[in-house]
Amino acid sequence: MRLRSEADVQEFLKVVESCEGGVYLQSPEGDIFNLKSSLSRYIAVGQLIEEQGDTLELFADRKEDQARLMPLVEDLMKNGD
């Protein structure tokens, strides 16, 4: 999943903010970025925009939040092809 435009970033952060539980990105090296933290979000979004974005795993604490994130992730995957 890689964010390719400012619109992607804004939509992604809007959905993250709507989540009630924690939302995280994990790098292949094991680094975990809490997207509810401003500093972590800044670093993680930078990686999502760069080439490394395709290797990051997105996950959420709550099933309801995962359901909110899945349509966005699926759209990004379709548009990335």
Side-chain angles (χ1 to χ4, degrees):
M1 172 179 125
R2 186 182 314 161
L3 300 177
R4 296 184 179 351
S5 70
E6 186 175 332
D8 287 348
V9 172
Q10 294 301 323
E11 181 64 22
F12 177 72
L13 294 177
K14 183 178 172 182
V15 173
V16 168
E17 283 299 316
S18 73
C19 294
E20 294 180 26
V23 179
Y24 309 92
L25 282 173
Q26 183 171 1
S27 73
E29 294 81 24
D31 298 323
I32 297 176
F33 302 100
N34 177 354
L35 297 178
K36 295 287 189 152
S37 160
S38 296
L39 179 59
S40 288
R41 181 184 308 162
Y42 179 77
I43 295 167
V45 168
Q47 290 192 4
L48 281 170
I49 293 170
E50 294 177 359
E51 289 185 26
Q52 186 179 5
D54 290 337
T55 64
L56 299 173
E57 182 181 351
L58 178 68
F59 60 98
D61 289 336
R62 301 180 72 227
K63 290 181 182 181
E64 297 87 352
D65 294 338
Q66 290 175 3
R68 285 186 184 131
L69 293 163
M70 286 311 298
L72 179 64
V73 171
E74 290 169 358
D75 277 350
L76 290 172
M77 297 302 284
K78 288 179 196 172
N79 293 335
D81 291 335

